[in-house]
Amino acid sequence: MSAARTRTKTGHRRPSRRRRLARTLLTTSCALTVMAGGGAWYLYHDLASGIAGSKALDGAEKSAHGDVNILLMGLDSRRDQNGDPLPEEILDELHAGSSDIGGYNANTMILLHVPGDGGEAKAFSIPRDDFVEIAGQGPGQGAGRKDKIKKAYGLAKAAKEEQLSRAGVQDRRRLEREGREAGRKAQIETVRNFLGVPVDHFAELNLAGFYHLADALGGVPVCLKKPVKDPYSGADFPAGRQTLNGRQSLAFVRQRHGLTMGDLDRTKRQQAFLAGATQKLNSAGTFTDPVKLLKLIDTAKKDVVTDEGWDLLSFVKQAKNLSGGKMRFTTLPIEGFGRNHGEDINVVDDMKIKRLIAEQIGPRSTTATTPGAPDAAPSSSSPSSSPSLSSPPASPPSSAPPPPPRPEKGEIDGGGIPCVD
């Protein structure tokens, strides 16, 4: 083609095929970027608006220097967020019994500390039977009455519903909604007073949440030191590393029968599940795969409640860095076992717990503790504060060590996740 034919009627030379292709690619690229950005915004907006929000932390003091403390609460409830029983087919799949049992105990409590300087995150498991002062149950509705820490939620929920009923409220949904808000506030305040540090955010997960989360992730990797079989929880697993589906995950975190330390070993199962889920979130490309992300968002809408105003997008980005050994787990220690009003309890040293938390987290977050938190062990003058103490456990839980060295021949390798009993 002659040079004359490559010019337009206005005398300008036509762009070459290479330049036209480059321009097309650039335009397409810009369009895709805008679409991707819009899609990301839509997903985040969908996530933020779809998850149930709570005002339980309104007015609460916050951590300093960019540190964040997040309380993860798992309810042993067979009911959904509206108080309706879970469908029978789900209860059967969960191996969890009737919807009338379980109540509103916070059977899983993990305080996740994420330092503002990007350092190692720490997760503290609180055994559910620790005998502590329960917020809202003493004189003047402050800390006073002692009971198992898991009961703070259910006791406050029942008290609020009774108060509303006496005032003439009959709307079941309102009773459930306001009762749960009172339960969340009491559970968070109880944990905050017990540990002596602020709680900046919280996430509440119901019983079905473990099931749906594992399925949304395509399974959660765990590792067992030895095979287990427990008819009560439905746990039936071989030794070694394995990936659990939703039903298996729930059985894994609920098992306590057949474990040497019972409930205390169960807290290690919960830690292992959290570590495996965090690793799977990062390795499975969940954050970059719209289909997987949408499935995870749908799960969160059904099973999760968080505090209002929590920037979940920022935390999701931060959570990607919590895998790969950047999170250390600790089960808070107990002094022994006891009995209170016919129930088994864990006897704890409140000041010892506060010192341990302060040493692990440091002064950066302890500068904003809640005023009025107890600074000494309560007097034994109260009948409920003097449980009968049995001998201490043979090997009480302690701070988890750093990631172990490479396993020797014959040992089971968890492949980056903790192996548990």
Side-chain angles (χ1 to χ4, degrees), residues 231-252:
Y232 295 97
S233 64
D236 186 1
F237 310 119
R241 181 183 169 97
Q242 53 208 288
T243 298
L244 306 183
N245 62 24
R247 179 184 57 79
Q248 293 169 327
S249 293
L250 187 64
F252 176 80

Side-chain angles (χ1 to χ4, degrees), residues 70 112-115 118-122 274-275 278-279 282 315-329:
I70 302 162
L112 177 62
H113 172 73
V114 183
E120 180 184 59
K122 297 179 177 69
L274 180 59
T278 303
Q279 185 189 76
N282 196 21
F315 179 71
V316 163
K317 292 177 180 177
Q318 193 174 31
K320 293 176 66 176
N321 299 321
L322 299 183
S323 60
K326 291 197 67 177
M327 180 162 53
R328 180 180 298 191
F329 291 92

Side-chain angles (χ1 to χ4, degrees), residues 44 47-49 51-54 57-58 62 68-73 110 112 114 199-204 304-319 322:
Y44 173 63
L47 174 64
S49 62
I51 293 181
S54 165
L57 281 176
D58 283 6
K62 302 296 183 181
V68 178
N69 294 330
I70 302 162
L71 179 61
L72 307 177
M73 297 190 300
I110 298 177
L112 177 62
V114 183
V199 174
D200 302 288
H201 299 292
F202 82 92
E204 171 190 308
V304 178
V305 178
T306 68
D307 55 290
E308 290 183 349
W310 187 5
D311 186 352
L312 288 173
L313 183 60
S314 294
F315 179 71
V316 163
K317 292 177 180 177
Q318 193 174 31
L322 299 183

